[in-house]
Structures are given as C-alpha cells and as structure tokens.
Amino acid sequence: RKEVEQDPGPFNVPEGATVAFNCTYSNSASQSFFWYRQDCRKEPKLLMSVYSSGNEDGRFTAQLNRASQYISLLIRDSKLSDSATYLCAAAPAAGNKLTFGGGTRVLVKP
Amino acid sequence: DTAVSQTPKYLVTQMGNDKSIKCEQNLGHDTMYWYKQDSKKFLKIMFSYNNKELIINETVPNRFSPKSPDKAHLNLHINSLELGDSAVYFCASSQEGRGGSKQYFGPGTRLTVT
C-alpha cells in the first residue's frame, strides 16, 4: 500500500460546478499536509497548506480528518483554468520529507 | 525574479554518459531538495540539503551524487546514465528543513536517456 494515495481521476466537472476529492495517508505520524497543483509539463505549485481546523482560500477549501487519515480538497464554482492535476503531500513532524500522492486529474469543461 | 531555477530545462543524452543538472534559489531558503517524477507522474524525494549539509538521502543508486556549494545552490551529478533514469527532475527549496515548511519547486529538467 502506498503511503499517500489519491484517486487518479479524471474528474470531469462542468464549469461552475463543485468538485471534491480526497487523499488518504497511512503514516499516522504525518503532521503537515499540503495540496499542490501541477499543470501539464510544469512544476508543482503550492496551492495551500492543510490545517487541523480546515482552511479556505477563495474557491478552495481543504479539510483534514486525522481519525480517518485523509485530507480533502473542494473547489467551488469551477473555472476552466482549474483543470490540472492536484497532488497531495504529507510530512512528518520532524524533518521535511514530503511524500506525494500520485495526483488527481481534474478536467473542467464548458 | 525567478525563485527556483534549474538548468538545463531539457537534456537528451546516451546511455553511459555522465551529466549534471544545476539548481539555484534566490528565496534565501536554508533547505533544498531533488525530486524525481517518473512517467507515471509519481513525485519522489531523492535528496535534501540543509545549509549545505545532506539531511535526506533516499534509496537512490550511488550513480547519483548531489552537491551543495552553498545554501543557494544544489547540483545533481549522474554517472553512467541508464534508460531508467529518464524522468523529470525537480529541484525545490523551503525556508527550513522541518515538517510544515512549504516547499517551492523549480521548473524541472526533462532528462531523456537514449
């Protein structure tokens, strides 16, 4: 079993709709979590950190569920420009070894 | 005003050759990383340096040798290249080498070994 797992998708989303997807992690020692966005043939770009209380940045909301060991990302009012692969990452408390999931591909269509 | 830069962007070479990739960050960060993203898009940590000191060394063939001349630079030298080394190599940096420190990635070096 991979340490961080994601549904590869693709999630086909009509423009303006809401889409949500999860990322599960197996290492209970993981303390820090992040969502990155990666466009085709580009580098991963940090989208947001995920805090215990959940956090929101515009149309994006991230949640952490420690009991069930998953994080989620919700995108509201999807834009065509939201089409990308979304990578989740987990890191332990000590050291900064980020372990990435395989990514979830999101395709927003008109 | 590029934050994390890598050279070259593309590298095509033959099996058995030796090649280097360079990375520089102007963010004033203390920690730098090398990641490999294979054809299946999995992104895996290879090495991490904190202020020129190696702190993460994953199970990577010893044909790969990182070198950090100063905390703003991290290079990756690969000896005796093999077909399986073909991948995109990303450099990244973070303020600190602790959990929770956000990492910022360079544009990647697309290595093709023929």
Side-chain angles (χ1 to χ4, degrees), chain A:
Chain A
R1 183 185 173 189
K2 290 188 169 56
E3 200 169 321
V4 179
E5 291 196 270
Q6 296 183 249
D7 182 339
F11 284 62
N12 294 300
V13 186
E15 193 176 6
T18 295
V19 61
F21 41 89
N22 294 338
C23 164
T24 59
Y25 61 95
S26 61
N27 186 351
S28 58
S30 297
Q31 290 291 319
S32 303
F33 305 90
F34 304 90
W35 281 106
Y36 281 80
R37 171 198 169 119
Q38 186 172 26
D39 293 294
C40 189
R41 301 180 76 86
K42 296 286 189 181
E43 73 273 23
K45 291 189 176 173
L46 182 64
L47 186 63
M48 56 202 311
S49 304
V50 187
Y51 305 120
S52 295
S53 55
N55 52 314
E56 189 174 313
D57 183 0
R59 298 180 294 107
F60 297 83
T61 301
Q63 297 279 353
L64 166 62
N65 186 318
R66 286 196 188 275
S68 300
Q69 295 191 191
Y70 73 87
I71 62 173
S72 63
L73 183 67
L74 182 145
I75 308 173
R76 281 183 299 277
D77 187 23
S78 298
K79 311 289 185 194
L80 296 177
S81 57
D82 293 333
S83 296
T85 296
Y86 291 85
L87 303 169
C88 70
N96 202 22
K97 179 188 162 186
L98 274 186
T99 301
F100 282 85
T104 294
R105 192 158 170 236
V106 172
L107 294 173
V108 182
K109 301 189 173 180

Side-chain angles (χ1 to χ4, degrees), chain B residues 48-98:
Chain B
S48 173
Y49 271 75
N50 180 265
N51 208 3
K52 301 194 296 175
E53 181 184 347
L54 182 65
I55 56 171
I56 295 176
N57 186 351
E58 289 296 286
T59 308
V60 177
N62 57 16
R63 297 183 294 103
F64 290 79
S65 52
K67 190 167 284 188
S68 181
D70 56 63
K71 73 175 192 176
H73 296 84
L74 180 61
N75 304 324
L76 183 64
H77 187 77
I78 315 170
N79 289 327
S80 303
L81 278 154
E82 299 177 358
L83 293 176
D85 298 332
S86 296
V88 182
Y89 292 84
F90 287 103
C91 176
S93 73
S94 66
Q95 180 65 46
E96 298 163 5
R98 62 171 178 79

Side-chain angles (χ1 to χ4, degrees), chain B residues 17-65:
Chain B
N17 285 348
D18 303 338
K19 291 292 178 186
S20 292
I21 308 171
K22 296 187 175 184
C23 178
E24 176 181 359
Q25 55 94 4
N26 63 6
L27 296 167
H29 287 169
D30 285 337
T31 308
M32 296 183 73
Y33 311 80
W34 278 113
Y35 285 86
K36 177 180 180 181
Q37 189 170 42
D38 60 24
S39 57
K40 294 183 179 177
K41 306 302 182 188
F42 278 97
L43 193 61
K44 295 185 75 172
I45 182 81
M46 299 174 69
F47 301 103
S48 173
Y49 271 75
N50 180 265
N51 208 3
K52 301 194 296 175
E53 181 184 347
L54 182 65
I55 56 171
I56 295 176
N57 186 351
E58 289 296 286
T59 308
V60 177
N62 57 16
R63 297 183 294 103
F64 290 79
S65 52

